[in-house]
Amino acid sequence: MVSIDQIKELRERTGISMTVCKKALEEVGGDMNAAIDLLRKKGEAKAVERGDRDAGEGRVAIAGTDQKKAMILLACETDFVARSEECAKAAQGFAERVLVEGVDVDLSGEVADMGIQLGEKIEIKGKVIFEGPMIGAYIHSNNKIGVLVNLSGGSAEQGKDVAMHTAATKPDCVSPDQMDADLVEHEKGIWREQLVAEGKPAEIMDKIMMGKERKFCEDGALISQPFVKNPDQTVGQYLGDVVVNDFVLFQV
């Protein structure tokens, strides 16, 4: 017996209707690859091939309030579709569905229908919900970069400012102590080779390495970066007692 999950998977991979997918799977005893081959033989190749194409364009959409927001990244194949009214409306609708129904909401049917209607591969590449005292948000003017920041408090203006800063600088983490250890070790290996090549004495190399590591972590951490609207202060100084709990950045 063919399961609903198998039908959904075939629909997502091909963009073909649920009914046709169900019949194809039933004919081949539930074998996914055989079902795809069967659909090709029956003249559904155009829709099947769409599943193999790259959805490298798209747009970000955000829905919600200052205390709860959802963000999604809706991907498509062309900038023409990404900028269309249909895509904008669909992306906003999907964000609102995620906000109400949660990140596990199944949107595969609607996404597949959209792909059939527009003739492109459509997929949701990211979805997230933030809840807290202050959720800041920012979408760049081209709708290709979106940010949510989760703050312990503060104003809506601060939330938007920090989200905008995050979109501009794309930090690796919130604070320097959160920098990925493997990334730091990789950089240290490069710095060490550079210092040896420069002929730096061994007795001062460790001190230089410590300084480089500190600067690397500070440069990549959100709260220690110079604030884009006022580089004379860091983001942390701009926020004062307000804590950045987390952030998420989606980019097409």
Side-chain angles (χ1 to χ4, degrees), residues 1-233:
M1 182 177 178
V2 176
S3 70
I4 188 65
D5 288 337
Q6 288 176 296
I7 298 171
K8 287 181 178 179
E9 180 183 348
L10 184 58
R11 184 179 188 179
E12 289 175 6
R13 292 177 63 177
T14 65
I16 298 172
S17 71
M18 294 279 280
T19 301
V20 174
C21 288
K22 182 175 184 292
K23 288 181 179 178
L25 284 165
E26 287 175 342
E27 284 189 45
V28 297
D31 186 305
M32 188 65 62
N33 291 328
I36 291 175
D37 288 341
L38 177 63
L39 290 169
R40 286 191 172 127
K41 292 174 184 177
K42 289 187 173 183
E44 300 285 354
K46 182 178 179 181
V48 173
E49 288 167 359
R50 184 163 64 238
D52 296 327
R53 301 206 299 259
D54 179 40
E57 289 292 338
R59 64 188 298 129
V60 177
I62 295 174
T65 67
D66 287 342
Q67 283 70 51
K68 181 179 180 181
K69 284 187 172 72
M71 178 169 67
I72 66 111
L73 172 55
L74 183 66
C76 57
E77 293 181 54
T78 64
D79 184 57
F80 175 78
V81 167
R83 291 186 289 105
S84 69
E85 183 178 346
E86 293 89 347
C87 189
K89 184 177 180 180
Q92 191 61 40
F94 291 152
E96 291 170 1
R97 285 279 304 279
V98 171
L99 179 71
V100 174
E101 301 178 48
V103 292
D104 294 327
V105 59
D106 183 5
L107 299 171
S108 59
E110 292 89 336
V111 170
D113 288 342
M114 183 179 174
I116 294 171
Q117 178 185 353
L118 297 176
E120 289 199 2
K121 180 179 181 180
I122 307 292
E123 58 183 322
I124 295 178
K125 288 190 173 181
K127 50 186 176 179
V128 66
I129 294 176
F130 271 178
E131 288 188 74
M134 177 53 63
I135 307 301
Y138 173 76
I139 294 182
H140 192 59
S141 57
N142 62 6
N143 297 296
K144 295 183 183 297
I145 301 176
V147 175
L148 292 184
V149 293
N150 188 333
L151 305 181
S152 66
S155 66
E157 181 181 5
Q158 286 178 308
K160 182 178 180 180
D161 282 346
V162 175
M164 186 185 302
H165 172 99
T166 303
T169 65
K170 301 176 180 61
D172 297 303
C173 54
V174 172
S175 59
D177 62 309
Q178 295 176 350
M179 185 63 68
D180 183 82
D182 291 336
L183 180 58
V184 173
E185 286 303 313
H186 173 76
E187 293 298 317
K188 286 170 71 174
I190 296 175
W191 301 331
R192 189 174 290 107
E193 290 185 15
Q194 290 174 339
L195 293 174
V196 170
E198 292 171 5
K200 298 294 184 183
E203 58 268 22
I204 67 169
M205 195 174 293
D206 287 344
K207 185 176 181 180
I208 296 175
M209 290 281 289
M210 288 177 61
K212 285 181 174 292
E213 180 177 347
R214 181 173 59 254
K215 186 176 188 307
F216 176 77
C217 292
E218 289 177 350
D219 287 348
L222 174 58
I223 63 171
S224 55
Q225 291 178 336
F227 183 37
V228 291
K229 293 181 71 173
N230 180 9
D232 291 333
Q233 61 179 345

